[in-house]
Amino acid sequence: MVINVHAESAVSHQYRIVEIFESLQGEGYFTGTSCIFLRFGKCNLRCSWCDTNYEAFQIYCTEDILQRISIYQSRTIIITGGEPTIQPYISDLLQILKARGYRLHIETNGLKPVPKEIDYIAVSPKALYAKRYQKSCITQADEVRIVVDQVDILPFCKWVEHRIKAEHYYLSPCEVNGQMNIYETIRQIGLLNARGSDYPHWQLSIQTHKLAGIE
């Protein structure tokens, strides 16, 4: 990957930022890893169970973001949202962060291409929007996380296996009004894994940061 050595002198842009904080990753393969979360506003989907108020954002310029990030110790940044891939000038910011030595992870719904500066892709396709994914979505990721927001999620999971190649596949329970459908989630995992070793092995991913009482 070629990084722009003049990234620090790039023109400053404005970004829609919900929050910037340092915590432990609570989901997926890197659960427990210390990370800086850079959460962007706005999304190209409208999932009723989403736990992020992505419309409550402030405008940060490039310098504001860099100053805020600099107070933290972690060298891994999770680019999340909302939906980060719809942000204008996102690659300009990522190039600066790469030039400063950060490892960049992204959490995306996968409908739009992921910037080339990203080191690790966690994609969360939404079964509710299956028809949109059939028209266009990414085809490669490091991990897939699907929220069990429907009783029969298996057809969508099987379709995703063929469409998006990844090292790790996860099912996550859907939380509504503080209640998670854990039983249904692990039942679906069992059905997927009962097909045998010729198919991807699915695992459980829950939002452990909520259980730990951290952001």
Side-chain angles (χ1 to χ4, degrees):
M1 180 184 299
V2 177
I3 300 299
N4 181 6
V5 296
H6 302 294
E8 292 288 355
S9 61
V11 175
S12 179
H13 299 295
Q14 293 185 327
Y15 299 92
R16 300 170 295 215
I17 302 297
V18 174
E19 55 186 346
I20 303 173
F21 62 95
E22 186 176 33
S23 187
L24 302 181
Q25 169 63 290
E27 304 176 74
Y29 184 77
F30 282 96
T31 293
T33 302
S34 178
C35 303
I36 300 167
F37 290 80
L38 178 53
R39 188 181 301 282
F40 288 90
K42 295 292 186 180
C43 189
N44 52 354
L45 296 180
R46 294 291 183 270
C47 302
S48 62
W49 42 263
C50 182
D51 59 1
T52 297
N53 186 1
Y54 47 77
E55 296 293 346
F57 57 83
Q58 296 180 321
I59 301 299
Y60 282 57
C61 68
T62 304
E63 291 78 11
D64 295 332
I65 295 172
L66 297 176
Q67 191 281 328
R68 181 65 180 274
I69 286 174
S70 70
I71 70 175
Y72 301 123
Q73 294 185 349
S74 177
R75 303 305 297 172
T76 297
I77 299 177
I78 295 182
I79 310 298
T80 185
E83 176 50 46
T85 63
I86 67 172
Q87 307 304 319
Y89 308 111
I90 185 69
S91 285
D92 288 355
L93 176 61
L94 299 181
Q95 286 177 22
I96 295 174
L97 295 174
K98 289 292 287 186
R100 291 192 173 195
Y102 288 101
R103 176 177 170 84
L104 303 179
H105 294 204
I106 195 170
E107 296 180 338
T108 175
N109 59 37
L111 285 173
K112 294 179 67 65
V114 171
K116 66 181 185 301
E117 295 82 10
I118 295 297
D119 299 299
Y120 188 90
I121 302 171
V123 60
S124 181
K126 306 301 190 293
L128 179 64
Y129 295 95
K131 290 183 179 180
R132 289 185 61 176
Y133 284 95
Q134 292 169 2
K135 293 179 180 179
S136 177
C137 75
I138 65 174
T139 58
Q140 191 75 35
D142 295 285
E143 68 179 78
V144 169
R145 300 182 210 148
I146 297 178
V147 174
V148 182
D149 60 353
Q150 299 182 8
V151 174
D152 185 10
I153 202 80
L154 293 185
F156 185 67
C157 292
K158 293 174 181 178
W159 181 85
V160 168
E161 288 176 345
H162 291 285
R163 179 68 182 221
I164 306 177
K165 300 305 178 183
E167 285 291 317
H168 311 283
Y169 292 85
Y170 297 95
L171 282 189
S172 299
C174 184
E175 181 177 353
V176 178
N177 297 324
Q179 300 296 316
M180 293 189 292
N181 56 347
I182 294 288
Y183 175 83
E184 185 59 30
T185 300
I186 61 174
R187 189 180 75 84
Q188 299 285 337
I189 291 174
L191 292 172
L192 285 166
N193 290 336
R195 297 174 298 164
S197 59
D198 290 337
Y199 299 90
H201 180 74
W202 289 77
Q203 302 177 76
L204 174 67
S205 176
I206 61 176
Q207 294 180 311
T208 58
H209 51 284
K210 293 183 178 180
L211 300 178
I214 58 176
E215 287 190 274

